[in-house]
Amino acid sequence: MKKILLSAFAMLLAVTANAQNLTVEKLQSPLGVQTEAFGAHKAPAKANLAVNQRLVGYFNTDDCDTYLGVTSITGNNKVAMVLTADDLAPYYGKKIVGVRFNLGQGETSTGVFVENVKINNGTITENTAIVTSDKSVTSAAGAKNTGEWHEVMFDNKVEINSSFEALLVGYCYKQKSNNYPIGVSSKVEGPFYVFANIPASKGGNGENWYQINSGGYGLSIQLIVEGDFAPNAVKPLDFGDVMVTKGKTKNVAVSLFNLGSKLSSIDYTIALDGKAGTEQHLDFGKDYGVGGTHTVEIPFAADSKIGKSTVTLTVTKVNGVENANATKTATGTLYTVEREFVKRSVVEQFTGTGCGNCPSGHVSMHNMHNLYGDQFIGIALHQFNSNDPMYYASYDLGFTGAPQCMVNRSSGVLAPYEQMPEALKASLKEIAMTEVTVAGTFTDEDTKVNATASVESLAAGDYNIAFMLTADGLTGTTTSWKQHNYFCKGGGRYSSKASMPDDLKFLWDKGSSYVETYNDVLISSSYVSDKNKATLPTLVANGTVNSEYTLKMPTKTSLKKALKLDQIYVVAVLLDKKTGAIVNAGRARVTGSTGIEDVTTGTEATVVARYTVNGVQVSAPVKGVNILKMSDGTTRKVLVK
């Protein structure tokens, strides 16, 4: 099996619903996303299950919000998810009876299958058919980016046992050059396999199973299993890191995997470093019903001492009776702190004035600022077209089309309007083990910014730091400044203004290009030819380390004329050395501007004479106010500190 696996910084997967591709890579992942994905999705259909049946998959609810297609690899293809031995363990002794999956509007599946497979580093090395069905099902025609759930049951039932290393579960479908049959959920992520005939010219080796980067999606495929399930059985899932301020209690989101027939309450204990507290009762105020994984809020109290503790949650009772599930515990790490750190997330968005689909990306960034305030840090990478006055190419995250973005350099490539908001929301729920405080001061007559950052950490560790400058309020009236717009009347993105989301409707009347005011624009960074030049000492537990870097202000005349020095911001991002992911960040307005006036000529003006405030000519900068006579005839007043 050929494996197509793509890193976050060399993304070949075109996942945006409206991306404009710049280049086509030989090994480009063939997945495409259905266009016009802004419309409302159909209401989810409840699973048609018997009381002794359960769903097993990347999720066991009715989530499905996007449809994909292997549009460049046509033919009779298959798509499948993988269930590992750990996924299957709770169901040993139960029987496989069917497959449930979501299929795009008007599409047909010609059968389903379950195979026992061996996988080595993402490559399927052996596969054996367990059970199949050639029953065809078709989703009703409908609006784009909609579909239907189907249940296909097998004629014979196969018992799940420990001999299964992993199960490949999927369905067959007809792939065309313009259809998107594969239902997925953007709320989960899991290994993605496609069986197709991919020639060597497209990076394949013929007809085979291929693993493809999931792009942040999870397949809407579920195995239907049947057996004797205890009516009151819950498995809590590990919940990771928890941070609570000393002397306080905090509600923590914990997922409960319900194998029972109902779920309306639990009793539980919480142990810190093995010492259990008293049993507590939590009534949900509703019955979640049969099966499913449900996230509930459980209060966790801080430890009596500052520091790290192992925390164990044990679900002792379900619906008032003893928990019948074999696994009753979940674990995490509790940090008791004097104060909680602020978590901030960074969205880096690939955009440009020549990108007609990019106005929706501008709107999404604006929306996130309004929703999350200073917890959201936007960085607009104007790299789509080189005639963009804001074009900046000192670092490249591997985007292939615009608009595309990444959240914290760890989300994979996302569509800014459709996918980014959920990914950002999830990222802000992560526990901040560090806090980044940043400041910036103009220097050298506003041609440079001295950036400083302090990083406070709960634990020791090696990290990198990078600095950026962003600018708000940039605009211009020349053609190169105007934003191309496919959301206008006749632009092709929508057939009518009424069909557009409310926050995009203003674009309908803007015309095919319009004067835009650009925010979050990257204008400088510590990257030089993709190499980060900033450095950071090793973090110390419960301590603070500092970093400094001098950033150069832009020198291009057209961009300098648009800059407003009171709307320049310095950003510092803390990077995991192993993964490259941003773990936290800080942003602050740059201060100390000397009040340099805008350049109004087509060439860079130089200083021809310098005077003190008293009119005395000097040959070098002196402390205090300096009056500069420029080569273009203008004068400037600067403050030298």
Side-chain angles (χ1 to χ4, degrees):
M1 187 200 85
K2 177 76 173 181
K3 179 184 178 187
I4 303 178
L5 185 60
L6 314 173
S7 75
F9 295 96
M11 284 292 176
L12 303 177
L13 177 64
V15 300
T16 62
N18 53 359
Q20 294 177 220
N21 290 323
L22 296 177
T23 60
V24 177
E25 303 284 348
K26 181 179 178 182
L27 291 177
Q28 182 175 355
S29 174
L31 288 176
V33 179
Q34 186 152 36
T35 58
E36 296 188 16
F38 298 118
H41 305 293
K42 294 179 69 175
K46 296 297 182 183
N48 184 24
L49 299 179
V51 293
N52 65 337
Q53 293 175 347
R54 301 290 185 271
L55 298 173
V56 187
Y58 299 150
F59 56 94
N60 47 24
T61 61
D62 295 316
D63 290 340
C64 184
D65 56 17
T66 306
Y67 292 85
L68 308 178
V70 192
T71 53
S72 61
I73 311 296
T74 59
N76 294 314
N77 296 350
K78 303 176 185 177
V79 63
M81 67 169 180
V82 170
L83 296 175
T84 67
D86 288 341
D87 296 325
L88 298 171
Y91 302 98
Y92 287 163
K94 310 299 190 290
K95 294 182 178 180
I96 297 169
V97 296
V99 174
R100 184 173 186 254
F101 59 99
N102 197 294
L103 190 66
Q105 73 283 350
E107 301 292 342
T108 296
S109 165
T110 56
V112 298
F113 55 88
V114 179
E115 298 180 357
N116 186 20
V117 295
K118 291 185 178 181
I119 299 177
N120 181 19
N121 192 30
T123 299
I124 296 176
T125 57
E126 296 181 29
N127 56 312
T128 304
I130 297 298
V131 60
T132 63
S133 171
D134 58 4
K135 179 183 177 181
S136 293
V137 294
T138 301
S139 291
K144 290 184 177 181
N145 215 51
T146 63
E148 290 185 333
W149 284 97
H150 301 275
E151 290 99 17
V152 176
M153 310 305 287
F154 296 119
D155 293 332
N156 57 316
K157 303 175 182 180
V158 177
E159 184 175 304
I160 300 173
N161 57 66
S162 59
S163 69
F164 296 156
E165 292 193 16
L167 291 183
L168 194 68
V169 183
Y171 59 89
C172 311
Y173 69 97
K174 179 75 172 181
Q175 181 65 61
K176 305 173 188 176
S177 61
N178 60 351
N179 68 333
Y180 302 86
I182 305 169
V184 296
S185 172
S186 62
K187 298 179 182 178
V188 294
E189 186 173 9
F192 199 117
Y193 288 84
V194 171
F195 187 87
N197 188 359
I198 303 180
S201 62
K202 294 183 179 180
N205 61 352
E207 192 173 74
N208 217 326
W209 279 108
Y210 296 84
Q211 183 187 13
I212 300 177
N213 186 293
S214 65
Y217 296 107
L219 284 171
S220 295
I221 299 176
Q222 298 162 345
L223 188 66
I224 304 175
V225 301
E226 178 180 285
D228 293 328
F229 291 93
N232 303 288
V234 161
K235 175 185 177 182
L237 304 183
D238 291 346
F239 43 88
D241 295 331
V242 177
M243 187 180 294
V244 186
T245 305
K246 186 178 179 181
K248 296 187 177 181
T249 297
K250 181 178 182 181
N251 285 340
V252 176
V254 177
S255 294
L256 302 178
F257 179 22
N258 180 28
L259 286 92
S261 57
K262 64 178 291 188
L263 177 60
S264 59
S265 70
I266 60 170
D267 291 77
Y268 63 92
T269 61
I270 294 177
L272 295 178
D273 290 335
K275 184 178 179 181
T278 58
E279 188 176 62
Q280 305 291 321
H281 178 77
L282 182 60
D283 196 317
F284 304 132
K286 62 179 290 187
D287 181 4
Y288 285 105
V290 177
T293 299
H294 309 285
T295 301
V296 300
E297 298 267 317
I298 297 178
F300 282 69
D303 201 347
S304 58
K305 63 182 185 302
I306 298 294
K308 182 173 73 171
S309 309
T310 299
V311 57
T312 303
L313 170 72
T314 303
V315 178
T316 56
K317 296 176 184 175
V318 180
N319 306 318
V321 299
E322 183 180 355
N323 185 3
N325 196 57
T327 303
K328 301 178 176 64
T329 62
T331 60
T333 302
L334 184 140
Y335 291 87
T336 300
V337 295
E338 294 287 358
R339 65 175 182 86
E340 286 196 53
F341 292 158
V342 177
K343 171 67 176 179
R344 297 182 178 91
S345 288
V346 177
V347 173
E348 291 166 292
Q349 183 171 158
F350 182 55
T351 186
T353 57
C355 165
N357 285 314
C358 286
S360 65
H362 303 331
V363 170
S364 69
M365 298 279 263
H366 173 78
N367 291 345
M368 297 306 101
H369 274 295
N370 287 343
L371 272 175
Y372 300 112
D374 67 0
Q375 284 191 274
F376 168 72
I377 298 174
I379 299 176
L381 305 170
H382 281 252
Q383 298 175 343
F384 181 78
N385 52 298
S386 59
N387 66 335
D388 185 332
M390 298 161 284
Y391 185 77
Y392 184 89
S394 287
Y395 74 88
D396 180 8
L397 297 182
F399 294 115
T400 59
Q404 292 179 346
C405 70
M406 277 190 259
V407 177
N408 291 335
R409 299 188 186 178
S410 60
S411 66
V413 176
L414 302 174
Y417 189 87
E418 302 92 335
Q419 298 172 294
M420 180 268 284
E422 281 296 324
L424 177 65
K425 181 180 178 180
S427 74
L428 289 172
K429 293 180 180 179
E430 297 170 359
I431 297 296
M433 303 296 291
T434 60
E435 187 165 70
V436 179
T437 304
V438 64
T441 305
F442 286 109
T443 187
D444 289 1
E445 299 172 2
D446 295 347
T447 62
K448 297 177 182 178
V449 172
N450 285 340
T452 61
S454 296
V455 181
E456 188 176 355
S457 179
L458 291 176
D462 288 327
Y463 292 84
N464 291 323
I465 196 167
F467 292 92
M468 295 87 169
L469 292 180
T470 64
D472 285 355
L474 301 186
T475 191
T477 57
T478 61
T479 300
S480 62
W481 278 97
K482 290 185 177 180
Q483 178 64 54
H484 285 215
N485 177 27
Y486 293 164
F487 295 86
C488 66
K489 182 178 181 180
R493 289 296 294 127
Y494 286 95
S495 58
S496 68
K497 188 174 183 178
S499 65
M500 301 176 73
D502 288 343
D503 56 357
L504 297 181
K505 285 182 178 178
F506 76 98
L507 296 168
W508 182 261
D509 302 314
K510 285 286 188 180
S512 59
S513 66
Y514 65 97
V515 175
E516 173 70 284
T517 299
Y518 302 93
N519 296 321
D520 302 317
V521 178
L522 180 68
I523 60 171
S524 183
S525 75
S526 57
Y527 288 92
V528 179
S529 300
D530 280 333
K531 293 183 178 179
N532 180 33
K533 299 298 185 178
T535 59
L536 182 74
T538 299
L539 301 189
V540 295
N542 300 310
T544 301
V545 299
N546 301 308
S547 177
E548 295 186 19
Y549 190 83
T550 299
L551 296 152
K552 295 180 180 179
M553 288 287 287
T555 58
K556 187 166 61 175
T557 300
S558 59
L559 180 55
K560 284 181 66 178
K561 288 175 65 176
L563 291 176
K564 299 175 177 61
L565 297 185
D566 61 347
Q567 295 188 54
I568 306 297
Y569 295 86
V570 60
V571 175
V573 298
L574 186 66
L575 298 152
D576 186 302
K577 272 193 175 180
K578 293 181 180 179
T579 66
I582 297 172
V583 297
N584 212 343
R587 176 179 182 262
R589 188 172 67 84
V590 179
T591 60
S593 169
T594 57
I596 297 178
E597 298 175 359
D598 291 337
V599 178
T600 57
T601 66
T603 59
E604 294 297 323
T606 59
V607 178
V608 296
R610 180 185 297 268
Y611 302 87
T612 68
V613 72
N614 296 322
V616 178
Q617 187 171 359
V618 292
S619 59
V622 295
K623 189 174 182 179
V625 176
N626 289 210
I627 307 298
L628 308 182
K629 184 177 180 180
M630 309 303 295
S631 60
D632 60 359
T634 63
T635 59
R636 304 180 186 181
K637 182 170 67 175
V638 301
L639 177 66
V640 178
K641 296 183 177 181

